[in-house]
Amino acid sequence: MEEELQRIGAEALTEIARAGSEAEVEASRVKYLGRAGSVSAWSERMKSLAKEEKPRIGKLLNETRAAVAEALERRRAALDSEKDARAFASLDISLPGTPVRPGGLHPITLLQDRAAAVFRRMGFALAEGPDVETEWHCFDALNTPPDHPARNERDTFYLPDGRLLRTHTSTVQIRAMEQAPPPVRIIAPGAAYRRDEIDATHLAQFTQMEGLYVDRGVSVADLKGTLEFFFRELLGAGAKCRFRPHFFPFTEPSFEIDIRARASGKWLELAGCGMVDPAVFEAVNGKRGDAAYDPEEYTGFAFGFGLDRLAMILSDVPDIRGFIENDVRFLSQFR
Ligand code: PHE
């Protein structure tokens, strides 16, 4: 009896060790440990054994069953890892992976952030206004007469409902003063739109940064000091600023600012600025319905410059179109 049981056990172990697939392992399990399996059949036979034989045979039966179960388990695991090994055989995990190239901010965004950081140190807060504007905010409130060339349909994008794409960010001066009484000290970066022919120095959509400071006793000296500080911070201590008299309907006096980044370099026209025209304060008061911006009590300065222009000067970019062509070879040079 014992011999027969041992023989079945040995046979089971050999067969399981040879099993070449999951299915063959499963077939062996059914054959030996299944309900009608040969090891299981021995449990039945136990009942008819003599009392003194039961413990011995019982023990052997348990050992055989455990050994067969363990062999099945081991063979399954071995087949599994063989399968993994086959799957990885053609894979060289020592090869370098596919690099993921991190993206970056657009050069104009980077410059905008740098510029904003300099103004923030001087107490300027960020303000915004819509790109689609009313004619009133873009021109009338900014003291621009009805026959001014900037209002021309050939220069400005008008919407069918009479609104327009703002031609400059000076609209945000008006919106900031509508919203809060003085003092105001804001910068407003954003898009501006003009119906320009696109070439190396012009885009139909470009980016400006506007500034406005209104308080008691603000003077041209404050305007000059603020902007000279700003341009030196951005371009280096060697940069020179030149204020040239100019005309804007919404400032009086008005200036254009030229910058020379290097001693040898050319003067480049970069920004417009001036002292807020009292007519602008009156327009804002009219809209507000109060006299918060009393021109007898308050003065202010405003400025606006093109960020694309400034980026071109800072990085020696020969063609403004580089900023809108989305060529990674160009964009990835600004980080
Ligand atoms: N808005 C003017 C422009 O786009 C610039 C400017 C802003 C001038 C503020 C004076 C004051 O040319």
Side-chain angles (χ1 to χ4, degrees), residues 121-167:
R121 278 161 55 201
M122 294 189 277
F124 285 81
L126 274 173
E128 350 172 85
D131 290 21
V132 175
E133 261 296 6
T134 64
E135 226 180 318
W136 187 81
H137 284 93
C138 197
F139 298 124
D140 300 283
L142 288 160
N143 196 33
T144 308
D147 56 351
H148 193 279
R151 304 180 77 135
N152 200 301
E153 297 229 342
R154 278 200 321 245
D155 295 323
T156 302
F157 293 105
Y158 281 92
L159 275 72
D161 66 4
R163 289 183 303 165
L164 48 79
L165 298 183
R166 66 181 179 194
T167 57

mmCIF file of all heavy atoms in Angstrom, residues 121-167:
data_model
loop_
_atom_site.group_PDB
_atom_site.id
_atom_site.type_symbol
_atom_site.label_atom_id
_atom_site.label_comp_id
_atom_site.label_asym_id
_atom_site.label_seq_id
_atom_site.Cartn_x
_atom_site.Cartn_y
_atom_site.Cartn_z
ATOM 1 N N ARG A 121 8.259 95.962 -7.987
ATOM 2 C CA ARG A 121 9.141 96.484 -6.929
ATOM 3 C C ARG A 121 8.900 97.957 -6.678
ATOM 4 O O ARG A 121 9.225 98.481 -5.612
ATOM 5 C CB ARG A 121 10.606 96.254 -7.311
ATOM 6 C CG ARG A 121 11.068 94.853 -6.977
ATOM 7 C CD ARG A 121 12.312 94.469 -7.751
ATOM 8 N NE ARG A 121 13.415 95.397 -7.584
ATOM 9 C CZ ARG A 121 14.437 95.501 -8.430
ATOM 10 N NH1 ARG A 121 14.483 94.758 -9.497
ATOM 11 N NH2 ARG A 121 15.402 96.362 -8.193
ATOM 12 N N MET A 122 8.365 98.662 -7.705
ATOM 13 C CA MET A 122 8.072 100.090 -7.513
ATOM 14 C C MET A 122 6.610 100.303 -7.124
ATOM 15 O O MET A 122 6.107 101.428 -7.167
ATOM 16 C CB MET A 122 8.408 100.858 -8.799
ATOM 17 C CG MET A 122 9.895 100.840 -9.110
ATOM 18 S SD MET A 122 10.358 101.951 -10.460
ATOM 19 C CE MET A 122 9.999 100.937 -11.889
ATOM 20 N N GLY A 123 5.915 99.236 -6.782
ATOM 21 C CA GLY A 123 4.554 99.379 -6.263
ATOM 22 C C GLY A 123 3.454 99.350 -7.299
ATOM 23 O O GLY A 123 2.309 99.694 -6.996
ATOM 24 N N PHE A 124 3.774 98.953 -8.538
ATOM 25 C CA PHE A 124 2.731 98.871 -9.570
ATOM 26 C C PHE A 124 2.005 97.531 -9.476
ATOM 27 O O PHE A 124 2.634 96.486 -9.318
ATOM 28 C CB PHE A 124 3.345 99.006 -10.970
ATOM 29 C CG PHE A 124 3.752 100.418 -11.310
ATOM 30 C CD1 PHE A 124 4.958 100.944 -10.860
ATOM 31 C CD2 PHE A 124 2.922 101.224 -12.084
ATOM 32 C CE1 PHE A 124 5.336 102.245 -11.169
ATOM 33 C CE2 PHE A 124 3.291 102.522 -12.401
ATOM 34 C CZ PHE A 124 4.504 103.043 -11.947
ATOM 35 N N ALA A 125 0.686 97.577 -9.585
ATOM 36 C CA ALA A 125 -0.116 96.351 -9.558
ATOM 37 C C ALA A 125 -0.557 96.011 -10.980
ATOM 38 O O ALA A 125 -0.628 96.891 -11.840
ATOM 39 C CB ALA A 125 -1.349 96.560 -8.680
ATOM 40 N N LEU A 126 -0.850 94.732 -11.202
ATOM 41 C CA LEU A 126 -1.301 94.302 -12.533
ATOM 42 C C LEU A 126 -2.770 94.640 -12.732
ATOM 43 O O LEU A 126 -3.587 94.438 -11.842
ATOM 44 C CB LEU A 126 -1.129 92.791 -12.688
ATOM 45 C CG LEU A 126 0.234 92.279 -13.147
ATOM 46 C CD1 LEU A 126 0.259 90.765 -13.077
ATOM 47 C CD2 LEU A 126 0.536 92.745 -14.571
ATOM 48 N N ALA A 127 -3.102 95.147 -13.926
ATOM 49 C CA ALA A 127 -4.502 95.421 -14.270
ATOM 50 C C ALA A 127 -4.776 94.837 -15.645
ATOM 51 O O ALA A 127 -3.847 94.607 -16.421
ATOM 52 C CB ALA A 127 -4.747 96.926 -14.281
ATOM 53 N N GLU A 128 -6.064 94.594 -15.924
ATOM 54 C CA GLU A 128 -6.394 94.098 -17.256
ATOM 55 C C GLU A 128 -7.655 94.732 -17.789
ATOM 56 O O GLU A 128 -8.435 95.329 -17.050
ATOM 57 C CB GLU A 128 -6.651 92.592 -17.323
ATOM 58 C CG GLU A 128 -6.341 91.747 -16.159
ATOM 59 C CD GLU A 128 -6.858 90.335 -16.376
ATOM 60 O OE1 GLU A 128 -6.099 89.572 -16.999
ATOM 61 O OE2 GLU A 128 -7.980 89.995 -15.956
ATOM 62 N N GLY A 129 -7.807 94.569 -19.111
ATOM 63 C CA GLY A 129 -9.030 95.016 -19.767
ATOM 64 C C GLY A 129 -9.257 94.096 -20.944
ATOM 65 O O GLY A 129 -8.369 93.326 -21.308
ATOM 66 N N PRO A 130 -10.446 94.186 -21.566
ATOM 67 C CA PRO A 130 -10.763 93.283 -22.679
ATOM 68 C C PRO A 130 -10.027 93.660 -23.964
ATOM 69 O O PRO A 130 -9.705 94.830 -24.173
ATOM 70 C CB PRO A 130 -12.269 93.470 -22.853
ATOM 71 C CG PRO A 130 -12.539 94.846 -22.349
ATOM 72 C CD PRO A 130 -11.546 95.103 -21.247
ATOM 73 N N ASP A 131 -9.778 92.646 -24.808
ATOM 74 C CA ASP A 131 -9.175 92.909 -26.129
ATOM 75 C C ASP A 131 -10.217 93.522 -27.066
ATOM 76 O O ASP A 131 -9.900 94.372 -27.893
ATOM 77 C CB ASP A 131 -8.653 91.603 -26.762
ATOM 78 C CG ASP A 131 -7.426 91.059 -26.032
ATOM 79 O OD1 ASP A 131 -7.228 91.419 -24.860
ATOM 80 O OD2 ASP A 131 -6.665 90.288 -26.641
ATOM 81 N N VAL A 132 -11.467 93.069 -26.935
ATOM 82 C CA VAL A 132 -12.549 93.651 -27.730
ATOM 83 C C VAL A 132 -13.089 94.834 -26.930
ATOM 84 O O VAL A 132 -13.587 94.664 -25.819
ATOM 85 C CB VAL A 132 -13.666 92.612 -27.993
ATOM 86 C CG1 VAL A 132 -14.835 93.272 -28.716
ATOM 87 C CG2 VAL A 132 -13.122 91.443 -28.807
ATOM 88 N N GLU A 133 -12.963 96.008 -27.488
ATOM 89 C CA GLU A 133 -13.239 97.228 -26.725
ATOM 90 C C GLU A 133 -14.309 98.097 -27.386
ATOM 91 O O GLU A 133 -14.633 97.924 -28.564
ATOM 92 C CB GLU A 133 -11.942 98.052 -26.632
ATOM 93 C CG GLU A 133 -11.194 97.877 -25.323
ATOM 94 C CD GLU A 133 -11.991 98.376 -24.116
ATOM 95 O OE1 GLU A 133 -13.170 98.758 -24.247
ATOM 96 O OE2 GLU A 133 -11.413 98.381 -23.011
ATOM 97 N N THR A 134 -14.785 99.050 -26.614
ATOM 98 C CA THR A 134 -15.673 100.056 -27.193
ATOM 99 C C THR A 134 -14.809 101.168 -27.782
ATOM 100 O O THR A 134 -13.660 101.375 -27.368
ATOM 101 C CB THR A 134 -16.572 100.678 -26.107
ATOM 102 O OG1 THR A 134 -15.717 101.375 -25.186
ATOM 103 C CG2 THR A 134 -17.345 99.621 -25.349
ATOM 104 N N GLU A 135 -15.377 101.859 -28.754
ATOM 105 C CA GLU A 135 -14.666 102.977 -29.352
ATOM 106 C C GLU A 135 -14.392 104.040 -28.284
ATOM 107 O O GLU A 135 -13.375 104.728 -28.311
ATOM 108 C CB GLU A 135 -15.529 103.566 -30.473
ATOM 109 C CG GLU A 135 -14.756 103.842 -31.734
ATOM 110 C CD GLU A 135 -15.642 104.432 -32.834
ATOM 111 O OE1 GLU A 135 -16.788 103.967 -33.025
ATOM 112 O OE2 GLU A 135 -15.171 105.366 -33.485
ATOM 113 N N TRP A 136 -15.321 104.118 -27.335
ATOM 114 C CA TRP A 136 -15.181 105.124 -26.278
ATOM 115 C C TRP A 136 -13.910 104.887 -25.453
ATOM 116 O O TRP A 136 -13.134 105.802 -25.217
ATOM 117 C CB TRP A 136 -16.429 105.135 -25.381
ATOM 118 C CG TRP A 136 -16.393 106.279 -24.395
ATOM 119 C CD1 TRP A 136 -16.732 107.571 -24.648
ATOM 120 C CD2 TRP A 136 -15.946 106.227 -23.033
ATOM 121 N NE1 TRP A 136 -16.525 108.346 -23.528
ATOM 122 C CE2 TRP A 136 -16.055 107.546 -22.526
ATOM 123 C CE3 TRP A 136 -15.480 105.214 -22.199
ATOM 124 C CZ2 TRP A 136 -15.707 107.864 -21.208
ATOM 125 C CZ3 TRP A 136 -15.134 105.531 -20.887
ATOM 126 C CH2 TRP A 136 -15.246 106.840 -20.402
ATOM 127 N N HIS A 137 -13.705 103.630 -25.013
ATOM 128 C CA HIS A 137 -12.513 103.348 -24.200
ATOM 129 C C HIS A 137 -11.222 103.483 -24.997
ATOM 130 O O HIS A 137 -10.188 103.843 -24.454
ATOM 131 C CB HIS A 137 -12.580 101.927 -23.618
ATOM 132 C CG HIS A 137 -13.527 101.800 -22.475
ATOM 133 N ND1 HIS A 137 -14.843 101.424 -22.635
ATOM 134 C CD2 HIS A 137 -13.354 102.019 -21.140
ATOM 135 C CE1 HIS A 137 -15.438 101.409 -21.449
ATOM 136 N NE2 HIS A 137 -14.563 101.765 -20.527
ATOM 137 N N CYS A 138 -11.290 103.153 -26.281
ATOM 138 C CA CYS A 138 -10.070 103.126 -27.084
ATOM 139 C C CYS A 138 -9.691 104.521 -27.582
ATOM 140 O O CYS A 138 -8.506 104.826 -27.727
ATOM 141 C CB CYS A 138 -10.247 102.172 -28.255
ATOM 142 S SG CYS A 138 -8.696 101.681 -29.016
ATOM 143 N N PHE A 139 -10.709 105.356 -27.849
ATOM 144 C CA PHE A 139 -10.420 106.655 -28.464
ATOM 145 C C PHE A 139 -11.032 107.843 -27.707
ATOM 146 O O PHE A 139 -10.298 108.736 -27.271
ATOM 147 C CB PHE A 139 -10.900 106.681 -29.917
ATOM 148 C CG PHE A 139 -10.201 105.647 -30.783
ATOM 149 C CD1 PHE A 139 -10.930 104.708 -31.492
ATOM 150 C CD2 PHE A 139 -8.812 105.639 -30.895
ATOM 151 C CE1 PHE A 139 -10.283 103.774 -32.290
ATOM 152 C CE2 PHE A 139 -8.159 104.708 -31.697
ATOM 153 C CZ PHE A 139 -8.901 103.770 -32.402
ATOM 154 N N ASP A 140 -12.367 107.878 -27.564
ATOM 155 C CA ASP A 140 -13.020 109.071 -27.024
ATOM 156 C C ASP A 140 -12.495 109.440 -25.640
ATOM 157 O O ASP A 140 -12.098 110.581 -25.405
ATOM 158 C CB ASP A 140 -14.542 108.877 -26.955
ATOM 159 C CG ASP A 140 -15.122 108.620 -28.327
ATOM 160 O OD1 ASP A 140 -15.265 109.576 -29.111
ATOM 161 O OD2 ASP A 140 -15.402 107.439 -28.629
ATOM 162 N N ALA A 141 -12.475 108.455 -24.725
ATOM 163 C CA ALA A 141 -12.035 108.746 -23.365
ATOM 164 C C ALA A 141 -10.562 109.136 -23.349
ATOM 165 O O ALA A 141 -10.099 109.819 -22.433
ATOM 166 C CB ALA A 141 -12.269 107.534 -22.465
ATOM 167 N N LEU A 142 -9.840 108.704 -24.373
ATOM 168 C CA LEU A 142 -8.412 109.047 -24.458
ATOM 169 C C LEU A 142 -8.196 110.302 -25.307
ATOM 170 O O LEU A 142 -7.118 110.503 -25.871
ATOM 171 C CB LEU A 142 -7.610 107.854 -24.995
ATOM 172 C CG LEU A 142 -7.469 106.690 -23.987
ATOM 173 C CD1 LEU A 142 -7.118 105.386 -24.697
ATOM 174 C CD2 LEU A 142 -6.413 107.004 -22.922
ATOM 175 N N ASN A 143 -9.256 111.130 -25.356
ATOM 176 C CA ASN A 143 -9.143 112.459 -25.950
ATOM 177 C C ASN A 143 -8.741 112.428 -27.431
ATOM 178 O O ASN A 143 -8.064 113.323 -27.918
ATOM 179 C CB ASN A 143 -8.118 113.292 -25.141
ATOM 180 C CG ASN A 143 -8.203 114.778 -25.433
ATOM 181 O OD1 ASN A 143 -9.297 115.286 -25.697
ATOM 182 N ND2 ASN A 143 -7.072 115.462 -25.415
ATOM 183 N N THR A 144 -9.131 111.353 -28.100
ATOM 184 C CA THR A 144 -8.771 111.208 -29.510
ATOM 185 C C THR A 144 -9.932 111.694 -30.382
ATOM 186 O O THR A 144 -11.029 111.132 -30.302
ATOM 187 C CB THR A 144 -8.455 109.733 -29.821
ATOM 188 O OG1 THR A 144 -7.492 109.279 -28.874
ATOM 189 C CG2 THR A 144 -7.903 109.559 -31.223
ATOM 190 N N PRO A 145 -9.722 112.744 -31.170
ATOM 191 C CA PRO A 145 -10.824 113.332 -31.938
ATOM 192 C C PRO A 145 -11.384 112.369 -32.992
ATOM 193 O O PRO A 145 -10.677 111.461 -33.437
ATOM 194 C CB PRO A 145 -10.180 114.559 -32.603
ATOM 195 C CG PRO A 145 -8.712 114.332 -32.535
ATOM 196 C CD PRO A 145 -8.451 113.437 -31.367
ATOM 197 N N PRO A 146 -12.649 112.593 -33.379
ATOM 198 C CA PRO A 146 -13.330 111.668 -34.317
ATOM 199 C C PRO A 146 -12.601 111.519 -35.647
ATOM 200 O O PRO A 146 -12.708 110.476 -36.288
ATOM 201 C CB PRO A 146 -14.694 112.323 -34.538
ATOM 202 C CG PRO A 146 -14.881 113.252 -33.391
ATOM 203 C CD PRO A 146 -13.524 113.677 -32.937
ATOM 204 N N ASP A 147 -11.836 112.515 -36.041
ATOM 205 C CA ASP A 147 -11.188 112.425 -37.353
ATOM 206 C C ASP A 147 -9.738 111.945 -37.249
ATOM 207 O O ASP A 147 -8.967 112.034 -38.194
ATOM 208 C CB ASP A 147 -11.245 113.786 -38.064
ATOM 209 C CG ASP A 147 -10.613 114.893 -37.216
ATOM 210 O OD1 ASP A 147 -10.304 114.620 -36.021
ATOM 211 O OD2 ASP A 147 -10.421 116.008 -37.732
ATOM 212 N N HIS A 148 -9.344 111.463 -36.072
ATOM 213 C CA HIS A 148 -7.956 111.012 -35.892
ATOM 214 C C HIS A 148 -7.676 109.797 -36.788
ATOM 215 O O HIS A 148 -8.500 108.890 -36.876
ATOM 216 C CB HIS A 148 -7.708 110.646 -34.426
ATOM 217 C CG HIS A 148 -6.253 110.473 -34.087
ATOM 218 N ND1 HIS A 148 -5.575 109.308 -34.355
ATOM 219 C CD2 HIS A 148 -5.356 111.311 -33.514
ATOM 220 C CE1 HIS A 148 -4.313 109.443 -33.964
ATOM 221 N NE2 HIS A 148 -4.157 110.654 -33.436
ATOM 222 N N PRO A 149 -6.503 109.755 -37.443
ATOM 223 C CA PRO A 149 -6.220 108.665 -38.381
ATOM 224 C C PRO A 149 -6.262 107.271 -37.751
ATOM 225 O O PRO A 149 -6.601 106.298 -38.429
ATOM 226 C CB PRO A 149 -4.811 108.987 -38.903
ATOM 227 C CG PRO A 149 -4.284 110.102 -38.069
ATOM 228 C CD PRO A 149 -5.464 110.797 -37.473
ATOM 229 N N ALA A 150 -5.944 107.160 -36.437
ATOM 230 C CA ALA A 150 -5.956 105.838 -35.798
ATOM 231 C C ALA A 150 -7.354 105.226 -35.821
ATOM 232 O O ALA A 150 -7.520 104.015 -35.724
ATOM 233 C CB ALA A 150 -5.466 105.950 -34.361
ATOM 234 N N ARG A 151 -8.400 106.084 -35.939
ATOM 235 C CA ARG A 151 -9.771 105.570 -35.905
ATOM 236 C C ARG A 151 -10.209 105.056 -37.266
ATOM 237 O O ARG A 151 -11.300 104.516 -37.399
ATOM 238 C CB ARG A 151 -10.724 106.678 -35.432
ATOM 239 C CG ARG A 151 -10.322 107.241 -34.094
ATOM 240 C CD ARG A 151 -11.262 108.338 -33.640
ATOM 241 N NE ARG A 151 -12.503 107.800 -33.130
ATOM 242 C CZ ARG A 151 -13.097 108.220 -32.008
ATOM 243 N NH1 ARG A 151 -12.575 109.196 -31.307
ATOM 244 N NH2 ARG A 151 -14.209 107.697 -31.612
ATOM 245 N N ASN A 152 -9.356 105.251 -38.248
ATOM 246 C CA ASN A 152 -9.663 104.859 -39.612
ATOM 247 C C ASN A 152 -9.933 103.355 -39.725
ATOM 248 O O ASN A 152 -9.284 102.550 -39.073
ATOM 249 C CB ASN A 152 -8.453 105.217 -40.479
ATOM 250 C CG ASN A 152 -8.812 105.317 -41.928
ATOM 251 O OD1 ASN A 152 -9.300 104.363 -42.513
ATOM 252 N ND2 ASN A 152 -8.582 106.488 -42.498
ATOM 253 N N GLU A 153 -10.895 103.015 -40.583
ATOM 254 C CA GLU A 153 -11.212 101.592 -40.793
ATOM 255 C C GLU A 153 -10.051 100.837 -41.420
ATOM 256 O O GLU A 153 -10.000 99.614 -41.370
ATOM 257 C CB GLU A 153 -12.434 101.455 -41.709
ATOM 258 C CG GLU A 153 -13.683 102.045 -41.114
ATOM 259 C CD GLU A 153 -14.846 101.089 -41.214
ATOM 260 O OE1 GLU A 153 -14.757 100.144 -42.029
ATOM 261 O OE2 GLU A 153 -15.832 101.273 -40.481
ATOM 262 N N ARG A 154 -9.159 101.573 -42.042
ATOM 263 C CA ARG A 154 -8.020 100.904 -42.669
ATOM 264 C C ARG A 154 -6.938 100.575 -41.651
ATOM 265 O O ARG A 154 -6.052 99.781 -41.909
ATOM 266 C CB ARG A 154 -7.430 101.781 -43.769
ATOM 267 C CG ARG A 154 -8.181 101.673 -45.094
ATOM 268 C CD ARG A 154 -7.277 102.152 -46.204
ATOM 269 N NE ARG A 154 -6.507 103.310 -45.720
ATOM 270 C CZ ARG A 154 -6.612 104.530 -46.203
ATOM 271 N NH1 ARG A 154 -7.404 104.764 -47.213
ATOM 272 N NH2 ARG A 154 -5.915 105.524 -45.710
ATOM 273 N N ASP A 155 -6.981 101.203 -40.482
ATOM 274 C CA ASP A 155 -5.944 100.981 -39.473
ATOM 275 C C ASP A 155 -6.419 100.130 -38.301
ATOM 276 O O ASP A 155 -5.621 99.562 -37.568
ATOM 277 C CB ASP A 155 -5.449 102.327 -38.918
ATOM 278 C CG ASP A 155 -4.752 103.143 -39.983
ATOM 279 O OD1 ASP A 155 -4.057 102.532 -40.820
ATOM 280 O OD2 ASP A 155 -4.913 104.381 -39.995
ATOM 281 N N THR A 156 -7.732 100.075 -38.116
ATOM 282 C CA THR A 156 -8.296 99.434 -36.929
ATOM 283 C C THR A 156 -9.267 98.339 -37.345
ATOM 284 O O THR A 156 -10.007 98.491 -38.308
ATOM 285 C CB THR A 156 -9.032 100.495 -36.087
ATOM 286 O OG1 THR A 156 -8.100 101.516 -35.742
ATOM 287 C CG2 THR A 156 -9.617 99.902 -34.819
ATOM 288 N N PHE A 157 -9.250 97.225 -36.595
ATOM 289 C CA PHE A 157 -10.207 96.128 -36.845
ATOM 290 C C PHE A 157 -11.516 96.458 -36.139
ATOM 291 O O PHE A 157 -11.577 96.448 -34.899
ATOM 292 C CB PHE A 157 -9.680 94.812 -36.281
ATOM 293 C CG PHE A 157 -8.451 94.272 -36.966
ATOM 294 C CD1 PHE A 157 -7.208 94.370 -36.357
ATOM 295 C CD2 PHE A 157 -8.541 93.636 -38.207
ATOM 296 C CE1 PHE A 157 -6.069 93.862 -36.975
ATOM 297 C CE2 PHE A 157 -7.407 93.120 -38.828
ATOM 298 C CZ PHE A 157 -6.177 93.232 -38.218
ATOM 299 N N TYR A 158 -12.556 96.762 -36.901
ATOM 300 C CA TYR A 158 -13.874 97.021 -36.303
ATOM 301 C C TYR A 158 -14.751 95.781 -36.382
ATOM 302 O O TYR A 158 -14.698 95.043 -37.365
ATOM 303 C CB TYR A 158 -14.566 98.178 -37.028
ATOM 304 C CG TYR A 158 -14.042 99.533 -36.594
ATOM 305 C CD1 TYR A 158 -13.002 100.135 -37.279
ATOM 306 C CD2 TYR A 158 -14.580 100.176 -35.484
ATOM 307 C CE1 TYR A 158 -12.499 101.360 -36.877
ATOM 308 C CE2 TYR A 158 -14.082 101.411 -35.079
ATOM 309 C CZ TYR A 158 -13.044 101.995 -35.777
ATOM 310 O OH TYR A 158 -12.564 103.202 -35.358
ATOM 311 N N LEU A 159 -15.558 95.555 -35.353
ATOM 312 C CA LEU A 159 -16.528 94.472 -35.386
ATOM 313 C C LEU A 159 -17.828 95.031 -35.951
ATOM 314 O O LEU A 159 -18.074 96.237 -35.879
ATOM 315 C CB LEU A 159 -16.755 93.918 -33.975
ATOM 316 C CG LEU A 159 -15.750 92.847 -33.531
ATOM 317 C CD1 LEU A 159 -14.385 93.438 -33.263
ATOM 318 C CD2 LEU A 159 -16.276 92.117 -32.305
ATOM 319 N N PRO A 160 -18.688 94.144 -36.488
ATOM 320 C CA PRO A 160 -19.941 94.623 -37.073
ATOM 321 C C PRO A 160 -20.776 95.436 -36.077
ATOM 322 O O PRO A 160 -21.489 96.355 -36.460
ATOM 323 C CB PRO A 160 -20.676 93.335 -37.458
ATOM 324 C CG PRO A 160 -19.597 92.317 -37.609
ATOM 325 C CD PRO A 160 -18.517 92.702 -36.649
ATOM 326 N N ASP A 161 -20.660 95.131 -34.759
ATOM 327 C CA ASP A 161 -21.488 95.845 -33.785
ATOM 328 C C ASP A 161 -20.875 97.183 -33.366
ATOM 329 O O ASP A 161 -21.376 97.833 -32.444
ATOM 330 C CB ASP A 161 -21.738 94.965 -32.542
ATOM 331 C CG ASP A 161 -20.467 94.679 -31.760
ATOM 332 O OD1 ASP A 161 -19.388 95.221 -32.111
ATOM 333 O OD2 ASP A 161 -20.539 93.910 -30.779
ATOM 334 N N GLY A 162 -19.789 97.610 -34.025
ATOM 335 C CA GLY A 162 -19.225 98.912 -33.709
ATOM 336 C C GLY A 162 -18.073 98.858 -32.720
ATOM 337 O O GLY A 162 -17.323 99.815 -32.577
ATOM 338 N N ARG A 163 -17.941 97.716 -32.016
ATOM 339 C CA ARG A 163 -16.778 97.589 -31.128
ATOM 340 C C ARG A 163 -15.539 97.331 -31.981
ATOM 341 O O ARG A 163 -15.632 97.192 -33.205
ATOM 342 C CB ARG A 163 -16.998 96.448 -30.125
ATOM 343 C CG ARG A 163 -18.057 96.791 -29.074
ATOM 344 C CD ARG A 163 -18.211 95.682 -28.058
ATOM 345 N NE ARG A 163 -18.559 94.425 -28.718
ATOM 346 C CZ ARG A 163 -18.478 93.229 -28.148
ATOM 347 N NH1 ARG A 163 -18.048 93.122 -26.912
ATOM 348 N NH2 ARG A 163 -18.827 92.153 -28.807
ATOM 349 N N LEU A 164 -14.376 97.245 -31.351
ATOM 350 C CA LEU A 164 -13.137 97.104 -32.112
ATOM 351 C C LEU A 164 -12.122 96.292 -31.314
ATOM 352 O O LEU A 164 -12.313 96.038 -30.126
ATOM 353 C CB LEU A 164 -12.573 98.498 -32.423
ATOM 354 C CG LEU A 164 -12.494 99.501 -31.267
ATOM 355 C CD1 LEU A 164 -11.300 99.262 -30.351
ATOM 356 C CD2 LEU A 164 -12.407 100.917 -31.829
ATOM 357 N N LEU A 165 -11.062 95.851 -31.997
ATOM 358 C CA LEU A 165 -9.939 95.229 -31.293
ATOM 359 C C LEU A 165 -9.034 96.374 -30.861
ATOM 360 O O LEU A 165 -8.634 97.194 -31.691
ATOM 361 C CB LEU A 165 -9.189 94.267 -32.210
ATOM 362 C CG LEU A 165 -9.998 93.077 -32.729
ATOM 363 C CD1 LEU A 165 -9.110 92.157 -33.581
ATOM 364 C CD2 LEU A 165 -10.604 92.280 -31.566
ATOM 365 N N ARG A 166 -8.752 96.464 -29.578
ATOM 366 C CA ARG A 166 -8.022 97.635 -29.073
ATOM 367 C C ARG A 166 -6.708 97.821 -29.831
ATOM 368 O O ARG A 166 -5.972 96.869 -30.082
ATOM 369 C CB ARG A 166 -7.790 97.523 -27.572
ATOM 370 C CG ARG A 166 -6.863 96.388 -27.169
ATOM 371 C CD ARG A 166 -6.717 96.341 -25.650
ATOM 372 N NE ARG A 166 -5.833 95.237 -25.267
ATOM 373 C CZ ARG A 166 -5.715 94.762 -24.038
ATOM 374 N NH1 ARG A 166 -6.430 95.271 -23.047
ATOM 375 N NH2 ARG A 166 -4.891 93.767 -23.767
ATOM 376 N N THR A 167 -6.440 99.070 -30.176
ATOM 377 C CA THR A 167 -5.243 99.385 -30.964
ATOM 378 C C THR A 167 -4.048 99.653 -30.055
ATOM 379 O O THR A 167 -2.928 99.761 -30.506
ATOM 380 C CB THR A 167 -5.488 100.635 -31.828
ATOM 381 O OG1 THR A 167 -5.869 101.709 -30.958
ATOM 382 C CG2 THR A 167 -6.615 100.383 -32.818
#
